Short mmCIF file of all heavy atoms in Angstrom, two decimals:
data_model
loop_
_atom_site.label_atom_id
_atom_site.label_comp_id
_atom_site.label_asym_id
_atom_site.label_seq_id
_atom_site.Cartn_x
_atom_site.Cartn_y
_atom_site.Cartn_z
N THR A 19 0.83 -1.20 0.00
CA THR A 19 0.00 0.00 0.00
C THR A 19 0.87 1.26 0.00
O THR A 19 2.05 1.22 0.35
CB THR A 19 -0.90 0.02 1.25
OG1 THR A 19 -0.08 -0.16 2.41
CG2 THR A 19 -1.93 -1.09 1.20
N LYS A 20 0.26 2.38 -0.38
CA LYS A 20 0.99 3.66 -0.38
C LYS A 20 1.48 3.99 1.02
O LYS A 20 2.62 4.43 1.20
CB LYS A 20 0.07 4.77 -0.90
CG LYS A 20 0.76 6.12 -1.02
CD LYS A 20 -0.18 7.15 -1.61
CE LYS A 20 0.51 8.50 -1.75
NZ LYS A 20 -0.41 9.53 -2.34
N MET A 21 0.63 3.77 2.03
CA MET A 21 1.02 3.97 3.43
C MET A 21 1.65 2.67 3.94
O MET A 21 0.94 1.69 4.18
CB MET A 21 -0.18 4.36 4.28
CG MET A 21 -0.78 5.70 3.92
SD MET A 21 -2.24 6.10 4.92
CE MET A 21 -1.51 6.12 6.56
N MET A 22 2.96 2.66 4.09
CA MET A 22 3.66 1.43 4.43
C MET A 22 3.29 0.92 5.81
O MET A 22 3.42 -0.26 6.10
CB MET A 22 5.17 1.66 4.33
CG MET A 22 5.99 0.38 4.20
SD MET A 22 5.49 -0.58 2.75
CE MET A 22 6.16 -2.20 3.20
N GLU A 23 2.81 1.81 6.69
CA GLU A 23 2.42 1.38 8.03
C GLU A 23 1.35 0.30 7.96
O GLU A 23 1.34 -0.62 8.80
CB GLU A 23 1.90 2.56 8.85
CG GLU A 23 2.94 3.62 9.16
CD GLU A 23 3.13 4.63 8.04
OE1 GLU A 23 2.49 4.46 6.97
OE2 GLU A 23 3.89 5.59 8.23
N ARG A 24 0.46 0.39 7.00
CA ARG A 24 -0.61 -0.62 6.87
C ARG A 24 -0.03 -1.97 6.46
O ARG A 24 -0.48 -3.02 6.94
CB ARG A 24 -1.64 -0.13 5.86
CG ARG A 24 -2.50 1.01 6.38
CD ARG A 24 -3.16 1.83 5.30
NE ARG A 24 -3.93 1.02 4.37
CZ ARG A 24 -4.50 1.51 3.27
NH1 ARG A 24 -4.37 2.79 2.97
NH2 ARG A 24 -5.20 0.73 2.46
N MET A 25 0.96 -1.96 5.59
CA MET A 25 1.59 -3.21 5.18
C MET A 25 2.42 -3.81 6.29
O MET A 25 2.47 -5.03 6.47
CB MET A 25 2.45 -2.93 3.95
CG MET A 25 2.82 -4.12 3.12
SD MET A 25 1.51 -5.10 2.31
CE MET A 25 0.08 -4.07 2.22
N GLU A 26 3.07 -2.96 7.07
CA GLU A 26 3.85 -3.45 8.21
C GLU A 26 2.94 -4.11 9.24
O GLU A 26 3.27 -5.15 9.81
CB GLU A 26 4.63 -2.30 8.83
CG GLU A 26 5.73 -1.77 7.92
CD GLU A 26 6.36 -0.49 8.43
OE1 GLU A 26 5.86 0.04 9.46
OE2 GLU A 26 7.34 -0.02 7.83
N TRP A 27 1.78 -3.47 9.48
CA TRP A 27 0.80 -4.05 10.42
C TRP A 27 0.33 -5.41 9.91
O TRP A 27 0.26 -6.38 10.68
CB TRP A 27 -0.39 -3.09 10.56
CG TRP A 27 -1.51 -3.64 11.39
CD1 TRP A 27 -1.64 -3.58 12.75
CD2 TRP A 27 -2.66 -4.36 10.91
NE1 TRP A 27 -2.80 -4.21 13.14
CE2 TRP A 27 -3.44 -4.70 12.04
CE3 TRP A 27 -3.09 -4.73 9.64
CZ2 TRP A 27 -4.64 -5.40 11.93
CZ3 TRP A 27 -4.28 -5.44 9.53
CH2 TRP A 27 -5.04 -5.77 10.67
N MET A 28 0.02 -5.52 8.63
CA MET A 28 -0.45 -6.78 8.07
C MET A 28 0.61 -7.87 8.20
O MET A 28 0.31 -9.01 8.58
CB MET A 28 -0.82 -6.60 6.60
CG MET A 28 -1.46 -7.84 5.98
SD MET A 28 -0.84 -8.20 4.32
CE MET A 28 0.85 -8.67 4.63
N THR A 29 1.86 -7.52 7.91
CA THR A 29 2.94 -8.52 7.99
C THR A 29 3.12 -9.01 9.42
O THR A 29 3.32 -10.21 9.66
CB THR A 29 4.25 -7.92 7.46
OG1 THR A 29 4.06 -7.42 6.13
CG2 THR A 29 5.35 -8.97 7.44
N GLU A 30 3.04 -8.10 10.36
CA GLU A 30 3.15 -8.48 11.77
C GLU A 30 2.06 -9.46 12.16
O GLU A 30 2.33 -10.51 12.77
CB GLU A 30 3.08 -7.23 12.65
CG GLU A 30 3.12 -7.52 14.14
CD GLU A 30 2.88 -6.27 14.96
OE1 GLU A 30 1.75 -5.73 14.93
OE2 GLU A 30 3.83 -5.84 15.63
N LYS A 31 0.81 -9.14 11.82
CA LYS A 31 -0.31 -10.00 12.21
C LYS A 31 -0.30 -11.32 11.46
O LYS A 31 -0.64 -12.36 12.03
CB LYS A 31 -1.63 -9.26 11.99
CG LYS A 31 -1.76 -7.95 12.77
CD LYS A 31 -1.40 -8.13 14.24
CE LYS A 31 -1.36 -6.80 14.96
NZ LYS A 31 -0.82 -6.92 16.33
N ALA A 32 0.11 -11.30 10.19
CA ALA A 32 0.19 -12.55 9.43
C ALA A 32 1.24 -13.48 10.04
O ALA A 32 1.05 -14.70 10.09
CB ALA A 32 0.52 -12.24 7.97
N THR A 33 2.34 -12.90 10.51
CA THR A 33 3.38 -13.70 11.17
C THR A 33 2.85 -14.32 12.46
O THR A 33 3.11 -15.49 12.76
CB THR A 33 4.61 -12.84 11.48
OG1 THR A 33 5.11 -12.28 10.25
CG2 THR A 33 5.70 -13.65 12.14
N GLU A 34 2.08 -13.56 13.22
CA GLU A 34 1.50 -14.09 14.45
C GLU A 34 0.55 -15.25 14.15
O GLU A 34 0.48 -16.22 14.90
CB GLU A 34 0.78 -12.98 15.20
CG GLU A 34 1.71 -11.91 15.76
CD GLU A 34 0.94 -10.75 16.38
OE1 GLU A 34 -0.28 -10.87 16.55
OE2 GLU A 34 1.57 -9.73 16.70
N ILE A 35 -0.21 -15.13 13.06
CA ILE A 35 -1.13 -16.21 12.67
C ILE A 35 -0.35 -17.41 12.18
O ILE A 35 -0.60 -18.55 12.58
CB ILE A 35 -2.11 -15.71 11.58
CG1 ILE A 35 -3.04 -14.66 12.17
CG2 ILE A 35 -2.92 -16.87 11.00
CD1 ILE A 35 -3.82 -13.88 11.13
N GLY A 36 0.58 -17.18 11.29
CA GLY A 36 1.43 -18.24 10.78
C GLY A 36 1.40 -18.38 9.27
O GLY A 36 0.36 -18.67 8.69
N PHE A 37 2.54 -18.12 8.63
CA PHE A 37 2.70 -18.40 7.20
C PHE A 37 4.20 -18.50 6.92
O PHE A 37 5.01 -18.39 7.84
CB PHE A 37 2.01 -17.35 6.34
CG PHE A 37 2.69 -15.99 6.26
CD1 PHE A 37 2.82 -15.34 5.04
CD2 PHE A 37 3.17 -15.34 7.39
CE1 PHE A 37 3.42 -14.10 4.95
CE2 PHE A 37 3.77 -14.09 7.31
CZ PHE A 37 3.89 -13.47 6.07
N ASP A 38 4.58 -18.76 5.67
CA ASP A 38 5.96 -19.11 5.39
C ASP A 38 6.73 -18.10 4.55
O ASP A 38 7.96 -18.06 4.62
CB ASP A 38 6.03 -20.47 4.67
CG ASP A 38 5.51 -21.60 5.53
OD1 ASP A 38 6.22 -21.99 6.47
OD2 ASP A 38 4.39 -22.08 5.28
N GLU A 39 6.04 -17.32 3.73
CA GLU A 39 6.77 -16.47 2.80
C GLU A 39 5.92 -15.29 2.36
O GLU A 39 4.72 -15.43 2.16
CB GLU A 39 7.16 -17.30 1.56
CG GLU A 39 7.89 -16.55 0.48
CD GLU A 39 8.17 -17.42 -0.74
OE1 GLU A 39 7.95 -18.66 -0.68
OE2 GLU A 39 8.60 -16.87 -1.77
N ILE A 40 6.56 -14.13 2.21
CA ILE A 40 5.87 -12.97 1.66
C ILE A 40 6.75 -12.34 0.59
O ILE A 40 7.96 -12.20 0.76
CB ILE A 40 5.51 -11.93 2.75
CG1 ILE A 40 4.69 -10.79 2.16
CG2 ILE A 40 6.76 -11.41 3.47
CD1 ILE A 40 4.02 -9.91 3.21
N THR A 41 6.11 -12.02 -0.53
CA THR A 41 6.77 -11.33 -1.64
C THR A 41 5.96 -10.09 -1.97
O THR A 41 4.73 -10.14 -2.00
CB THR A 41 6.84 -12.23 -2.89
OG1 THR A 41 7.54 -13.44 -2.57
CG2 THR A 41 7.57 -11.52 -4.03
N PHE A 42 6.63 -8.98 -2.21
CA PHE A 42 5.95 -7.74 -2.56
C PHE A 42 5.98 -7.56 -4.07
O PHE A 42 7.02 -7.77 -4.72
CB PHE A 42 6.58 -6.57 -1.83
CG PHE A 42 6.44 -6.67 -0.34
CD1 PHE A 42 7.46 -7.19 0.45
CD2 PHE A 42 5.25 -6.30 0.27
CE1 PHE A 42 7.30 -7.31 1.82
CE2 PHE A 42 5.08 -6.42 1.65
CZ PHE A 42 6.12 -6.93 2.42
N LEU A 43 4.84 -7.16 -4.64
CA LEU A 43 4.67 -7.09 -6.09
C LEU A 43 4.56 -5.65 -6.56
O LEU A 43 3.92 -4.81 -5.93
CB LEU A 43 3.40 -7.83 -6.50
CG LEU A 43 3.31 -9.32 -6.16
CD1 LEU A 43 1.94 -9.86 -6.57
CD2 LEU A 43 4.42 -10.10 -6.85
N LYS A 44 5.17 -5.38 -7.69
CA LYS A 44 5.03 -4.10 -8.37
C LYS A 44 4.08 -4.31 -9.54
O LYS A 44 4.39 -5.01 -10.49
CB LYS A 44 6.39 -3.59 -8.86
CG LYS A 44 6.37 -2.18 -9.43
CD LYS A 44 7.73 -1.80 -10.01
CE LYS A 44 8.81 -1.83 -8.94
NZ LYS A 44 10.14 -1.42 -9.50
N CYS A 45 2.89 -3.72 -9.43
CA CYS A 45 1.82 -3.96 -10.40
C CYS A 45 1.49 -2.71 -11.21
O CYS A 45 1.99 -1.61 -10.91
CB CYS A 45 0.56 -4.45 -9.67
SG CYS A 45 0.83 -5.93 -8.68
N THR A 46 0.61 -2.85 -12.18
CA THR A 46 0.22 -1.73 -13.04
C THR A 46 -0.30 -0.55 -12.23
O THR A 46 0.05 0.61 -12.50
CB THR A 46 -0.84 -2.18 -14.04
OG1 THR A 46 -0.31 -3.24 -14.85
CG2 THR A 46 -1.26 -1.04 -14.95
N PHE A 47 -1.16 -0.83 -11.25
CA PHE A 47 -1.78 0.24 -10.48
C PHE A 47 -1.12 0.48 -9.12
O PHE A 47 -1.69 1.15 -8.26
CB PHE A 47 -3.27 -0.07 -10.27
CG PHE A 47 -4.05 -0.20 -11.55
CD1 PHE A 47 -5.03 -1.18 -11.69
CD2 PHE A 47 -3.82 0.66 -12.62
CE1 PHE A 47 -5.76 -1.31 -12.86
CE2 PHE A 47 -4.54 0.55 -13.80
CZ PHE A 47 -5.51 -0.44 -13.92
N SER A 48 0.07 -0.05 -8.94
CA SER A 48 0.77 0.13 -7.66
C SER A 48 1.11 1.60 -7.43
O SER A 48 1.62 2.28 -8.32
CB SER A 48 2.06 -0.69 -7.63
OG SER A 48 1.79 -2.08 -7.58
N GLU A 49 0.86 2.07 -6.22
CA GLU A 49 1.25 3.43 -5.84
C GLU A 49 2.60 3.45 -5.16
O GLU A 49 3.24 4.49 -5.06
CB GLU A 49 0.19 4.05 -4.92
CG GLU A 49 -1.14 4.31 -5.59
CD GLU A 49 -2.05 5.12 -4.70
OE1 GLU A 49 -1.91 6.36 -4.69
OE2 GLU A 49 -2.90 4.51 -4.00
N ARG A 50 3.02 2.30 -4.64
CA ARG A 50 4.34 2.21 -4.00
C ARG A 50 5.22 1.29 -4.83
O ARG A 50 4.87 0.14 -5.09
CB ARG A 50 4.21 1.68 -2.56
CG ARG A 50 5.54 1.44 -1.88
CD ARG A 50 5.38 1.12 -0.42
NE ARG A 50 5.05 2.32 0.35
CZ ARG A 50 5.92 3.20 0.80
NH1 ARG A 50 7.21 3.03 0.57
NH2 ARG A 50 5.54 4.23 1.50
N LYS A 51 6.37 1.79 -5.21
CA LYS A 51 7.29 1.05 -6.07
C LYS A 51 8.52 0.53 -5.34
O LYS A 51 9.28 -0.26 -5.88
CB LYS A 51 7.76 1.94 -7.23
CG LYS A 51 6.64 2.64 -8.00
CD LYS A 51 5.82 1.67 -8.81
CE LYS A 51 4.80 2.42 -9.67
NZ LYS A 51 3.96 1.51 -10.48
N VAL A 52 8.74 1.00 -4.09
CA VAL A 52 9.94 0.65 -3.35
C VAL A 52 9.55 0.30 -1.91
O VAL A 52 8.67 0.94 -1.33
CB VAL A 52 10.96 1.81 -3.33
CG1 VAL A 52 12.19 1.45 -2.50
CG2 VAL A 52 11.37 2.19 -4.75
N ILE A 53 10.21 -0.70 -1.34
CA ILE A 53 10.01 -1.03 0.07
C ILE A 53 11.36 -1.29 0.72
O ILE A 53 12.36 -1.54 0.03
CB ILE A 53 9.11 -2.27 0.26
CG1 ILE A 53 9.77 -3.50 -0.37
CG2 ILE A 53 7.72 -2.06 -0.27
CD1 ILE A 53 9.16 -4.79 0.08
#
């Protein structure tokens, strides 16, 4: 997301729930190009 705080929050909560891998995508309508 444009506001990286929202993505950081999601990553934190997803880790608490449990998963194995996250990849960030640069798409046609992406507002954020760098992380």
